[in-house]
Amino acid sequence: MKLAYETKDIRNICFASHGGAGKTTLTECFAFNSKLIERMGKVPDGNTLSDFEPEEIKRQISLNLTVVPIDWKNLKINTIDTPGYFDFVGEVRAGLRVADTAVVVVDVTSGIQTGTEKMMNYCEEIEKPCAIVINKMDRDNIDFQEVYASIRQTFGNKCTSLFLPLIENRVFSGLIDILNKKIVTEQGEKDLSTEQSKEVDTLYAEIVEAAVEADDEMMEKYLSGEVISNEELKSCITKAIACRSLIPVIPVSAFANIGIKLFMDFIAQYFPSPLSMPPAEVMLADKGDKIQLSADPKGPLAALVFKTLTDPYVGKITLFKVMSGTLSNDIKLYNVDEEKEEKMGQLSYPVAKKQENASAICAGDIGALTKLMVTKTGHSLSGVDQKYKIPWVPLPNSNAAMALYASNKADEDKLGAVIPKIQEDDPTIKIVRDEETKQTVIYGVGETHLNVVAEKIKRKFSVSIDLKSPRISYKETIRKAVKVEGKHKKQSGGHGQFGHCWLEISPLPRGEKFLFESKIFGGSIPKNYIPAIEKGVHEAMNEGILAGYPVEDVKVVVYDGSYHPVDSSEIAFKIAASMAFKKAMQEGETVLLEPVMNVTIHVPEQYMGSVIDDLNTKRGRVLGVEADRNWQIINAQMPLNELTRYTTDIGSITAAKGYFELAFSHYEEAPPKVVKSVVEEAKLEKEKQEG
Ligand SMILES: Nc1nc2c(ncn2[C@@H]2O[C@H](COP(=O)(O)OP(=O)(O)O)[C@@H](O)[C@H]2O)c(=O)[nH]1
Ligand SMILES: [Mg+2]
């Protein structure tokens, strides 16, 4: 690796696909061809460059984005490998944010999969240039033409094959290069046969059709029937990729390393460099105005942090892409989001899990800094004079929740210090203390995500933790108005205690929480004891009698009582009020209230019926359905109790396409079945605590 690269010599690509299509193997193959590694590792052997974390090796899937820079033909291809498993889509979005071209990988044995569609749709949404790699061409019984046809049918004719597989004696042995009309194998180049020429001509015409879209002049020429020369065509391929009028398709085998070198050559020659990309829209941090910054190494410094790692030896490692300017060691670095100067450390290039020294990182390139103080993923870095905020990506909903417990006291002490680091490593993790349920709750994108994070906490920070189903913050209330008396009297020797009150306790409408009123006339209780009575009621409300949950939606009126001129005290009245309230709960027909959530579910049309059937089994109520192209948005309400595994359920019903948002709506009386199980659980918990 060189110490610095020029913007024009950089290509930033990001592999994205359904899990298992071969992104990690492709990355490995790139690294091998460029001599970054001497032997190709294998995913099943757990020795690849990009799947290096024990959690990845154990599962044989990628869980993090990994940057592997490849030196190729005097250029640097920053290759970003990403996970395919849906829980880790936050990593994919981060990778795509800093790549100039997405390479969507399709497994030829499976064709278009859910993950393929998700990635293609996301790239369209963010207008990211794309290429499609059809991988595993070495496998038996495959049909390239069928997969290619379905790609064009699903994603449009801008998906155009620039290479055809050369299959000799049923073995995939090389590629037919359509742009150059020749055969390329490991053994060298060959001319096309007559039959091959015919096929190539058809595809060549398809390329011309897609590419001219990118250039008005060329388009005119094409429409008027003039011939577009090969030189002209080649000169607008990059532009056509950059503006998404052309999505090149290429068949390869990462495993057998066939077609990969040609693909790398194609990237080097035709993929847009940062200079060919439209300027980034950024915000002037001081004024709030939006301006455009192009990838000019001489421009003002603006860099976007897209990943933070914690290495047990090195500490915190921050990965960023320079969008404009050049970052060198002598710059005073400023964190725009935290509005703080940042301590500059040694500049380096991330190379999978390692770093290699760099002297400067120029516009368009990716770099790493260690031990930054305040910087987190998504932050913008700039110089101290000109400050720019670069937009970050929307992260997926973190709706899966588990209660997080340290396994023992020593771990509990350590956990507090570790929580901020976990959230720094993974912005889709949120850890919050729920005061109502007295639990620490960890939120993630799905159950696998949470399990992986729990493993990482154990391994990286040596804190042993357990995940349990989170407690739900039920409430208790009464259904019937009651009048109750509370009397606290102790008059055995010395200074006595005396408090006595009559309370009327009645239900309030849902959500009104609490009302307290005094209707004491004629001084049966002196005014100065009334606040103590309210306090006593409050304390008793903290723990209902049904299952120990807080009491809500009650009105309490103190309307009578008595006092003793010497023995009465605030504390005595407080106790009396508390006693009265507990009695009221016994007599007033206690009920359990459960939280009900507003759930907005997004699903492709064809799954709507099954999603609604499932909602009905989960006590859900559909409030309305809206159409959004061929998706449906279902607005529903569902008790939180039924939602604990909903990320998994919605995934299995909709082939992992559906997703949802959650927001608290209101409390509602829980049905007897729920009450029974909550009461039993509370009893067990209590017995456990009592020993
Ligand atoms: N036959 C064959 N197998 C492949 C090829 N590329 C990847 N694989 C295998 O497919 C599985 C998934 O590959 P991997 O690179 O982990 O996919 P990723 O999830 O997209 O990163 C692994 O067992 C690979 O060895 C290929 O070109 N041909
Ligand atoms: Mg992988």
Side-chain angles (χ1 to χ4, degrees):
M1 292 222 14
K2 292 195 275 191
L3 282 172
Y5 292 81
E6 284 185 56
T7 306
K8 70 172 173 52
D9 296 335
I10 290 163
R11 304 289 179 270
N12 293 306
I13 68 162
C14 176
F15 288 125
S17 80
H18 195 90
K23 300 173 294 294
T24 300
T25 311
L26 275 162
T27 309
E28 194 72 6
C29 199
F30 273 39
F32 174 74
N33 288 344
S34 75
K35 303 200 165 60
L36 178 67
I37 50 176
E38 281 169 18
R39 268 180 357 130
M40 240 181 96
K42 291 197 184 116
V43 174
D45 296 347
N47 58 357
T48 62
L49 262 180
S50 47
D51 288 356
F52 55 83
E53 299 223 322
E55 295 79 21
E56 296 180 310
I57 293 169
K58 171 177 147 191
R59 291 178 173 77
Q60 294 188 18
I61 59 169
S62 311
L63 303 170
N64 297 287
L65 75 79
T66 309
V67 181
V68 181
I70 306 291
D71 273 315
W72 190 249
K73 305 270 161 91
N74 292 318
L75 303 181
K76 181 187 184 208
I77 306 173
N78 283 319
T79 309
I80 304 175
D81 185 21
T82 65
Y85 200 88
F86 303 122
D87 283 14
F88 306 94
V89 65
E91 295 285 305
V92 188
R93 290 188 186 172
L96 289 171
R97 177 71 182 87
V98 295
D100 297 317
T101 310
V103 177
V104 176
V105 185
V106 176
D107 176 344
V108 71
T109 64
S110 326
I112 296 173
Q113 292 172 288
T114 301
T116 324
E117 273 186 76
K118 276 192 170 183
M119 288 308 136
M120 289 297 286
N121 293 341
Y122 184 68
C123 288
E124 187 179 345
E125 197 184 311
I126 62 169
E127 298 176 358
K128 185 68 60 185
C130 271
I132 296 175
V133 158
I134 301 185
N135 188 34
K136 306 200 186 178
M137 287 297 300
D138 59 288
R139 292 277 300 268
D140 292 336
N141 303 319
I142 54 160
D143 191 339
F144 170 78
Q145 286 303 343
E146 187 190 311
V147 173
Y148 177 54
S150 74
I151 286 174
R152 278 169 74 86
Q153 196 185 3
T154 315
F155 307 116
N157 285 351
K158 54 176 176 271
C159 304
T160 307
S161 201
L162 274 84
F163 299 88
L164 276 179
L166 178 72
I167 297 181
E168 296 169 314
N169 305 324
R170 306 181 72 194
V171 176
F172 176 55
S173 53
L175 293 182
I176 300 175
D177 177 345
I178 296 159
L179 265 186
N180 297 305
K181 302 194 178 180
K182 64 183 183 194
I183 296 168
V184 187
T185 63
E186 260 314 294
Q187 286 73 43
E189 295 182 6
K190 271 194 304 193
D191 289 334
L192 302 173
S193 67
T194 328
E195 198 187 322
Q196 284 165 332
S197 286
K198 261 195 216 143
E199 203 181 353
V200 164
D201 286 342
T202 318
L203 285 164
Y204 190 90
E206 284 176 3
I207 302 174
V208 175
E209 203 171 306
V212 292
E213 288 275 345
D215 190 303
D216 288 345
E217 216 175 291
M218 211 86 87
M219 187 63 156
E220 247 173 65
K221 216 170 165 183
Y222 175 73
L223 289 177
S224 68
E226 273 184 67
V227 177
I228 311 275
S229 75
N230 189 255
E231 292 313 306
E232 282 175 310
L233 176 61
K234 283 183 180 168
S235 75
C236 74
I237 296 270
T238 303
K239 205 166 156 192
I241 296 175
C243 76
R244 288 180 51 86
S245 78
L246 172 68
I247 296 179
V249 178
I250 177 166
V252 301
S253 164
F255 209 63
N257 200 355
I258 295 171
I260 306 291
K261 283 182 196 150
L262 213 54
F263 179 42
M264 292 165 77
D265 285 344
F266 185 79
I267 293 173
Q269 192 174 353
Y270 293 110
F271 270 28
S273 85
L275 292 175
S276 311
M277 298 303 291
E281 191 155 279
V282 302
M283 210 173 70
L284 289 176
D286 299 332
K287 299 192 191 118
D289 299 352
K290 277 189 183 152
I291 62 151
Q292 311 237 308
L293 274 186
S294 55
D296 177 3
K298 295 204 171 65
L301 178 68
L304 177 64
V305 174
F306 64 95
K307 173 86 187 159
T308 310
L309 308 134
T310 311
D311 183 277
Y313 305 105
V314 184
K316 184 166 133 182
I317 305 165
T318 302
L319 307 191
F320 57 87
K321 181 186 182 191
V322 177
M323 312 297 270
S324 159
T326 298
L327 183 55
S328 54
N329 273 312
D330 52 8
I331 275 178
K332 267 199 175 157
L333 200 59
Y334 186 83
N335 181 311
V336 180
D337 297 78
E338 292 293 330
E339 302 184 351
K340 279 197 182 109
E341 234 180 85
E342 202 26 297
K343 199 187 72 185
M344 219 8 225
Q346 170 60 46
L347 263 183
S348 60
Y349 290 119
V351 183
K353 64 176 166 182
K354 296 193 193 125
Q355 291 83 47
E356 285 200 12
N357 281 352
S359 61
I361 316 276
C362 75
D365 205 356
I366 286 169
L369 279 166
T370 50
K371 300 193 173 65
L372 292 186
M373 307 296 289
V374 297
T375 301
K376 297 196 176 100
T377 303
H379 284 182
S380 300
L381 299 171
S382 64
V384 286
D385 302 324
Q386 286 168 294
K387 300 158 188 166
Y388 304 97
K389 173 68 194 149
I390 307 162
W392 182 226
V393 290
L395 292 174
N397 299 325
S398 301
N399 282 329
M402 290 295 257
L404 177 70
Y405 285 93
S407 302
N408 55 53
K409 186 76 188 73
D411 285 326
E412 202 172 310
D413 295 340
K414 280 196 269 179
L415 189 60
V418 162
I419 284 174
K421 289 188 192 162
I422 303 162
Q423 301 190 85
E424 220 164 59
D425 265 23
D426 184 346
T428 55
I429 284 288
K430 280 177 196 70
I431 301 174
V432 289
R433 178 75 193 165
D434 186 335
E435 281 310 330
E436 278 192 8
T437 59
K438 308 259 180 300
Q439 282 185 318
T440 301
V441 184
I442 178 165
Y443 290 91
V445 182
E447 282 176 57
T448 307
H449 185 205
L450 292 177
N451 290 331
V452 166
V453 171
E455 278 177 39
K456 254 191 206 174
I457 294 173
K458 274 178 216 165
R459 173 177 62 87
K460 280 196 171 175
F461 306 106
S462 326
V463 180
S464 184
I465 57 156
D466 300 313
L467 295 182
K468 295 180 187 165
S469 287
R471 223 176 266 152
I472 290 173
S473 44
Y474 295 104
K475 307 272 186 204
E476 297 182 18
T477 192
I478 53 165
R479 199 187 275 146
K480 199 173 87 186
V482 281
K483 292 183 169 177
V484 281
E485 182 186 26
K487 196 182 234 173
H488 177 61
K489 191 170 161 190
K490 241 190 206 167
Q491 277 160 320
S492 50
H495 202 348
Q497 288 178 37
F498 184 86
H500 173 215
C501 60
W502 276 92
L503 305 179
E504 179 176 10
I505 299 174
S506 49
L508 280 178
R510 277 301 82 77
E512 303 231 329
K513 300 210 164 168
F514 181 59
L515 256 180
F516 181 83
E517 216 177 289
S518 163
K519 285 192 179 158
I520 299 287
F521 299 106
S524 55
I525 301 173
K527 260 204 176 89
N528 55 320
Y529 291 133
I530 303 296
I533 291 173
E534 186 173 353
K535 215 184 248 170
V537 168
H538 250 296
E539 262 170 37
M541 281 173 71
N542 277 336
E543 208 173 297
I545 56 151
L546 204 55
Y549 289 98
V551 181
E552 261 188 25
D553 296 345
V554 288
K555 178 178 171 179
V556 179
V557 176
V558 49
Y559 65 95
D560 202 0
S562 61
Y563 75 106
H564 187 279
V566 180
D567 293 345
S568 276
S569 65
E570 282 183 13
I571 184 101
F573 271 103
K574 205 174 99 176
I575 294 170
S578 195
M579 287 163 62
F581 190 87
K582 279 185 188 145
K583 213 192 280 174
M585 290 291 289
Q586 308 269 12
E587 293 173 11
E589 279 183 36
T590 326
V591 290
L592 189 76
L593 299 177
E594 62 176 347
V596 175
M597 310 299 280
N598 282 325
V599 196
T600 311
I601 312 161
H602 305 248
V603 289
E605 215 156 47
Q606 70 263 38
Y607 300 109
M608 184 151 99
S610 334
V611 170
I612 289 180
D613 287 348
D614 176 66
L615 269 179
N616 290 333
T617 69
K618 294 185 158 73
R619 300 189 284 132
R621 266 191 306 266
V622 177
L623 305 180
V625 181
E626 295 160 48
D628 176 12
R629 286 182 283 173
N630 45 4
W631 281 62
Q632 299 285 331
I633 304 171
I634 305 165
N635 289 303
Q637 289 191 329
M638 243 193 289
L640 183 59
N641 178 301
E642 302 282 346
L643 280 163
T644 40
R645 294 176 52 92
Y646 200 54
T647 44
T648 309
D649 293 347
I650 200 85
S652 51
I653 299 170
T654 65
K657 288 178 184 163
Y659 61 94
F660 65 98
E661 287 116 32
L662 271 186
F664 172 75
S665 171
H666 63 276
Y667 274 94
E668 220 170 84
E669 223 180 289
K673 203 172 136 215
V674 173
V675 178
K676 192 165 169 259
S677 80
V678 170
V679 168
E680 267 167 22
E681 216 171 285
K683 220 193 242 164
L684 278 177
E685 186 78 8
K686 203 163 178 191
E687 280 168 15
K688 219 162 65 188
Q689 269 170 18
E690 283 165 358

